[in-house]
Amino acid sequence: MRIPLSWLREYAQVPADATAEDVMADLVRVGLEEEDVHRPTDSISGPIVVGRVESLVKEPQTNGKTINWCQVRVVPEGATQDLTHDGIDPSGVQGIVCGAHNFVEGDKVVVTLPGAVLPGDFAISARKTYGHVSAGMIASSRELGIGDDHDGIIVLSRLGLDPEIGSDAMELLGLYDQAAEINVTPDRSYCFSIRGVAREYAHATHTTFTDPAAGVTVPAATGPGYPVRIADDAGAYAAPGCDRFVARTVTGVDASRPTPPWMASRLTLAGMRTISLIVDISNYVMLELGQPLHFYDADVLRGDIVVRRATAGERLRTLDDKQRELDPQDVVIADDRGAIGIAGVMGGTETEVSTSTANVLIEAAHFSPVAVARSRRRHRLPSEASKRFERGVDWEVADEAAQRAVELLVELAGGTAEDTATDEGARPEPRIIDLPEDFASKLIGVDYTPEQVTGTLRDLGATVEQTTAGLRVTAPSWRPDLRIREDLVEEIARLVGYEEIPSTLPVAPPGRGLTRTQQQRRRVLQGLADAGLTEVLSYPFVSLAQNQTFGAATAGTEVAAVKLANPISTEFGFLRTSILPGLLETARRNHSRGFRDLALYEAGLVYLPGETLGTATIPPLGERPADDVLDALDDGLPEQPQHIGAVLFGNDAAPGVGVEPRAHDWASALDVARLVADILGVELVVSQGTHQAFHPGRTARLSLRTGEYVGIAGELHPRLLASSGLPARTVAMELDADTLFAAAADLVVARAISTYPLSTQDVALVVDRDVVAGDVLETLRLGAGELLEDVALFDAYQGPGIEEGKKSLAFGLRFRAEDRTLTADEASASRAAAVAAAAEKFGAVQR
């Protein structure tokens, strides 16, 4: 909301020298948020003066245009020209070329002299054009930034102005004014008006507030006005779409009259576009009092006005010139032809006012915030009116707003007010709130005096009565946000001053810290970051195809997933069952932006629905559900285990002097998985795995010693990488972190370091090509016995010297005894036992 200071000064005691920054600083003290400052002088500067056209010669041009060669007096006759800028004539008469034709000799106009700067950084100077030196410009509204009229220049007499020649036109047109822009939160709807902000300024500065609505005298009607019926029986939450409809009629208006400069400049500074006098008046009253108005051309209305719900298939062309199909839940204003406006949102084109309108029907109604908000969202049709109605409008100000519009139409458009008036419906009942005497002090922790409490509430506009239990407060009609006693206490704290509330730091309860799982998770995440991976966070929303691809190892397997009722995108309408889709999308986006070496990881929840999902009924509001109801809600929630995933591609390091990068491969993904397990002190069993999203033959199945599956690691499938726009040989891993956390020991005990020497022996075994190396390694481990400390595969070979259909696997075996130095014979015996076990199980032959 932009607040022109000249307008605010009419109703609040703003010092004459106060700037927009000063006003915002005061408003911040009562909880309003400052946004920006707007000054016309930031984009326009003088000299801009009032001039009189002394002579005007029309000169046809070869291009078909006719220009006016004008002599314009810019200082009073007999006075001297004090301005000395290059191009300003000392005689006080400027020669100016003008292409507009809506003025004659003797008219007083606005003249921008050389040295002036207009919006758009348009500098005025003396320049040769059409065979003359034009020293200045006769300005239009658009050129000055105070309106959209560019068809002709401003003729001051048509605005009812007769200023002295040479006087400052910027002051005359209100261009020295400035506006403070504030952010209005949804609960402070009354601040969408000068009336509301002036009241808040008075609260902040402890000065007097003059209510503009109180300055409007509404005359008694001599009879019923235009016939209106409210026929809405389908209100949301049993609330009617319209509970009050006030209407007044003004006849004989001259809609072609221009908007006076003071109104145009205020509207422009307030962020409103000036359109025509009639429309500008409706916007002016809305900004001043907060009550949106709608003006109808009374001569084109057909029959009675009816406020009702739209019928199925009913259509309306709104003022933005778009044909809209109405919904049966839309509240509409209708006459005998059908809908002529969406209530509280936007009117229709058939009854809009124009320059030919002679008789105006003024609507000042009170519509349901819920109904207006739903229509606005349904039709994607935001408007200044809907912005106010859906947050709540003062239902008591409709009479005053309509009368204020009548007075402006009579004064500025030459209309005649009819003595009749329409007032259909009933005012809502005011909200009464009981406030115990010491409730505010107990809730806020400040000893407020009874005078402070009562005085603050009355300053808000509330009616306060003393009762035996405390205070009975009637909330003002412009404050629909005041519903319960806590709301009143919030207002007391706000207006007395937040600085009065003491700052007390809470004492941390002893004996609490991170849980075991939280500690484990932090260790793992820190360890991955220390290893050079980058943590990312991705959305948990995925497509059905992504869940089917990553949620099951075998293609074609049905994957149960949670479908979102209101997804942010129809493409991603499910909750993830794997953490990899989001990670891959993050990797793809970074790769498309030039990152060629990447190692990302993420920890987050996946969602695995069981047989029961959700509940048949929703518990009622306003009371705590019973334990069995809460249990049923819990039973309907999907399982949400914590997973950890990683995606890597490119090299493990940037090339440099003495640095030879290594390309990430399936072993890199396996190393990341093993790092997670090592941090937790859990041993992973690695075996050949298969998964539809991973490369066949380059996939590892990860499990615990108990056989429980915990994850997968390896190279992603080439078809998946090609369709995803990811580099070839991209690798990934995913682990069920909850299972790892549960398997981890509470205390990881380091193994003792033996002081006895190590004995190392290698063995190369020839086995069938389809034998898994990991199975052979595990067999060697079991066959070697307790002297074996470690065994590792260091070579796999197929080719010349190896029989077709066979492969050679080379293993390094490390032997050590805890209590003695091993002899060569003991190590060889253990090695032989290991080879014998492999020969028995796989037919392995020592190479």
Side-chain angles (χ1 to χ4, degrees):
M1 177 69 185
R2 297 184 184 182
I3 313 298
L5 298 198
S6 64
W7 206 348
L8 183 64
R9 285 189 176 97
E10 293 187 8
Y11 309 114
Q13 294 180 332
V14 182
D17 59 348
T19 64
E21 290 86 352
D22 296 332
V23 170
M24 287 195 297
D26 289 327
L27 292 175
V28 164
R29 289 205 295 268
V30 289
L32 294 173
E33 300 175 11
E34 58 183 354
E35 285 286 328
D36 203 355
V37 171
H38 301 271
R39 293 186 181 91
T41 52
D42 289 341
S43 60
I44 185 172
S45 61
I48 302 175
V49 299
V50 174
R52 183 179 66 204
V53 180
E54 300 287 274
S55 66
L56 180 154
V57 178
K58 295 187 178 296
E59 298 181 356
Q61 304 297 310
T62 57
N63 61 3
K65 292 179 62 177
T66 298
I67 62 98
N68 298 309
W69 172 238
C70 307
Q71 299 298 313
V72 185
R73 176 168 290 281
V74 294
V75 295
E77 292 189 27
T80 58
Q81 174 60 275
D82 296 328
L83 301 174
T84 58
H85 193 277
D86 185 28
I88 296 180
D89 197 309
S91 69
V93 177
Q94 300 289 124
I96 299 175
V97 173
C98 183
H101 300 283
N102 66 322
F103 65 102
V104 296
E105 293 179 359
D107 280 343
K108 289 185 177 180
V109 293
V110 176
V111 181
T112 59
L113 296 174
V117 178
L118 298 185
D121 200 24
F122 181 64
I124 303 299
S125 62
R127 60 189 181 92
K128 190 170 183 179
T129 180
Y130 295 107
H132 300 281
V133 175
S134 181
M137 185 175 73
I138 306 175
S140 69
S141 296
R142 183 184 294 179
E143 288 162 341
L144 295 175
I146 58 173
D148 289 338
D149 185 6
H150 195 56
D151 296 333
I153 57 140
I154 299 173
V155 178
L156 296 173
S157 62
R158 294 174 193 163
L159 301 178
L161 301 174
D162 186 21
E164 182 182 357
I165 297 172
S167 58
D168 190 345
M170 290 183 63
E171 183 175 358
L172 179 72
L173 299 176
L175 296 177
Y176 290 126
D177 201 359
Q178 53 186 300
E181 183 176 359
I182 59 172
N183 178 41
V184 179
T185 54
D187 61 329
R188 309 285 287 278
S189 59
Y190 61 96
C191 287
F192 274 122
S193 66
I194 301 297
R195 179 194 188 203
V197 175
R199 179 181 279 109
E200 289 299 306
Y201 183 84
H203 292 329
T205 56
H206 305 290
T207 53
T208 304
F209 160 67
T210 303
D211 190 347
V216 178
T217 301
V218 180
T222 59
Y226 199 94
V228 173
R229 287 187 296 111
I230 299 177
D232 174 25
D233 55 359
Y237 304 111
C242 175
D243 49 32
R244 191 175 181 214
F245 195 107
V246 172
R248 296 286 304 276
T249 303
V250 179
T251 60
V253 301
D254 182 359
S256 64
R257 289 190 184 183
T259 302
W262 60 267
M263 179 178 286
S265 65
R266 283 184 176 180
L267 288 173
T268 302
L269 197 52
M272 301 289 287
R273 183 170 60 93
T274 62
I275 300 172
S276 66
L277 176 60
I278 307 301
V279 176
D280 290 348
I281 287 174
S282 70
N283 287 332
Y284 188 86
V285 174
M286 176 185 68
L287 290 175
E288 185 171 74
L289 298 179
Q291 168 69 55
L293 303 176
H294 188 70
F295 289 178
Y296 301 91
D297 188 330
D299 294 329
V300 300
L301 290 172
R302 299 179 188 173
D304 297 357
I305 284 180
V306 181
V307 185
R308 58 171 173 81
R309 299 281 164 162
T311 57
E314 192 169 9
R315 302 178 71 84
L316 169 69
R317 183 171 293 279
T318 47
L319 289 175
D320 59 354
D321 204 31
K322 291 184 179 179
Q323 188 78 15
R324 300 182 185 275
E325 183 168 345
L326 302 176
D327 186 273
Q329 282 300 309
D330 288 328
V331 180
V332 297
I333 313 299
D335 64 3
D336 290 350
R337 86 193 79 193
I340 58 175
I342 303 175
V345 180
M346 188 173 287
T349 57
E350 288 188 289
T351 58
E352 71 174 316
V353 296
S354 64
T355 54
S356 61
T357 298
N359 302 312
V360 176
L361 179 69
I362 302 167
E363 167 203 302
H366 186 258
F367 298 113
S368 161
V370 173
V372 172
R374 288 183 173 180
S375 291
R376 191 264 299 171
R377 292 170 187 162
R378 186 179 296 118
H379 297 287
R380 295 181 176 87
L381 188 58
S383 65
E384 290 294 330
S386 67
K387 181 166 66 176
R388 288 161 173 80
F389 275 124
E390 64 185 86
R391 290 166 173 82
V393 169
D394 182 3
W395 63 78
E396 289 284 3
V397 81
D399 288 322
E400 288 80 3
Q403 179 61 28
R404 176 71 165 138
V406 167
E407 292 172 356
L408 290 173
L409 286 171
V410 171
E411 177 187 353
L412 303 178
T416 302
E418 289 195 355
D419 296 334
T420 57
T422 301
D423 191 350
E424 279 296 309
R427 293 171 170 84
E429 289 294 325
R431 187 171 287 106
I432 298 175
I433 306 166
D434 289 324
L435 182 67
E437 189 169 347
D438 57 350
F439 184 75
S441 297
K442 287 182 177 179
L443 189 62
I444 302 298
V446 176
D447 290 330
Y448 294 116
T449 66
E451 292 76 16
Q452 282 180 310
V453 172
T454 304
T456 300
L457 295 175
R458 286 178 175 151
D459 286 344
L460 284 175
T463 302
V464 182
E465 299 178 20
Q466 188 74 43
T467 66
T468 55
L471 302 177
R472 174 157 293 178
V473 182
T474 303
S477 56
W478 57 85
R479 293 297 302 269
D481 58 308
L482 300 181
R483 299 175 178 274
I484 57 177
R485 57 188 182 180
E486 285 79 6
D487 295 333
L488 298 179
V489 173
E490 182 181 347
E491 291 299 291
I492 294 168
R494 179 175 71 92
L495 296 185
V496 172
Y498 292 128
E499 66 277 5
E500 299 296 326
I501 302 174
S503 297
T504 305
L505 292 176
V507 178
R512 297 184 186 178
L514 298 177
T515 65
R516 175 178 181 270
T517 300
Q518 288 171 335
Q519 292 173 347
Q520 291 171 322
R521 183 178 185 275
R522 289 197 178 189
R523 287 206 311 272
V524 168
L525 297 185
Q526 187 61 52
L528 291 173
D530 293 342
L533 283 80
T534 301
E535 185 178 11
V536 297
L537 294 174
S538 60
Y539 283 118
F541 313 124
V542 297
S543 66
L544 178 61
Q546 288 173 322
N547 269 341
Q548 298 288 2
T549 300
F550 290 93
T554 307
T557 304
E558 188 69 25
V559 176
V562 179
K563 191 176 189 302
L564 298 170
N566 186 25
I568 59 175
S569 168
T570 54
E571 182 182 358
F572 304 108
F574 293 83
L575 289 175
R576 64 189 177 193
T577 57
S578 164
I579 208 165
L580 288 180
L583 259 176
L584 291 176
E585 173 58 26
T586 303
R588 182 203 64 76
R589 189 164 55 250
N590 281 276
H591 180 260
S592 69
R593 285 160 172 75
F595 289 90
R596 296 294 176 258
D597 304 318
L598 213 60
L600 307 177
Y601 74 97
E602 179 178 2
L605 302 179
V606 298
Y607 305 86
L608 310 175
E611 295 181 2
T612 302
L613 185 61
T615 56
T617 59
I618 300 297
L621 301 175
E623 60 183 40
R624 184 185 185 279
D627 290 341
D628 59 334
V629 176
L630 292 175
D631 291 340
L633 290 173
D634 286 338
D635 293 340
L637 293 176
E639 226 185 303
Q640 300 174 51
Q642 182 106 212
H643 278 208
I644 295 175
V647 172
L648 306 93
F649 60 72
N651 297 322
D652 62 354
V657 177
V659 177
E660 186 173 344
R662 172 185 169 275
H664 287 301
D665 58 11
W666 62 268
S668 303
L670 189 55
D671 288 343
V672 175
R674 281 174 164 155
L675 174 62
V676 173
D678 288 346
I679 292 171
L680 296 172
V682 176
E683 183 180 358
L684 283 183
V685 176
V686 181
S687 59
Q688 183 72 42
T690 59
H691 194 287
Q692 59 176 321
F694 285 77
H695 192 296
R698 298 175 186 168
T699 304
R701 181 184 189 274
L702 308 175
S703 57
L704 301 176
R705 278 288 170 194
T706 59
E708 188 174 1
Y709 173 81
V710 292
I712 194 166
E715 183 178 319
L716 292 169
H717 201 289
R719 285 198 305 270
L720 175 67
L721 296 177
S723 63
S724 301
L726 286 165
R729 300 297 175 88
T730 298
V731 299
M733 77 88 191
E734 182 170 11
L735 293 171
D736 184 340
D738 282 353
T739 301
L740 288 175
F741 293 157
D746 291 334
L747 184 65
V748 178
V749 180
R751 293 196 317 185
I753 299 175
S754 175
T755 59
Y756 293 99
L758 181 71
S759 177
T760 302
Q761 296 193 19
D762 297 338
V763 62
L765 301 175
V766 178
V767 296
D768 292 340
R769 183 178 295 175
D770 58 357
V771 173
V772 178
D775 294 342
V776 178
L777 184 147
E778 191 63 24
T779 300
L780 291 173
R781 185 193 304 276
L782 295 174
E786 63 181 11
L787 294 180
L788 181 68
E789 183 176 271
D790 191 28
V791 58
L793 175 71
F794 65 84
D795 184 49
Y797 173 72
Q798 299 177 62
I802 302 298
E803 184 183 347
E804 182 68 25
K806 300 285 187 178
K807 64 182 177 182
S808 172
L809 301 176
F811 298 90
L813 292 82
R814 300 195 313 174
F815 300 98
R816 196 193 314 258
E818 295 181 358
D819 56 350
R820 68 189 186 281
T821 299
L822 285 179
T823 66
D825 291 341
E826 288 177 308
S828 296
S830 292
R831 174 181 175 276
V835 171
E840 180 182 353
K841 188 169 184 179
F842 302 107
V845 177
Q846 189 169 345
R847 184 181 174 193

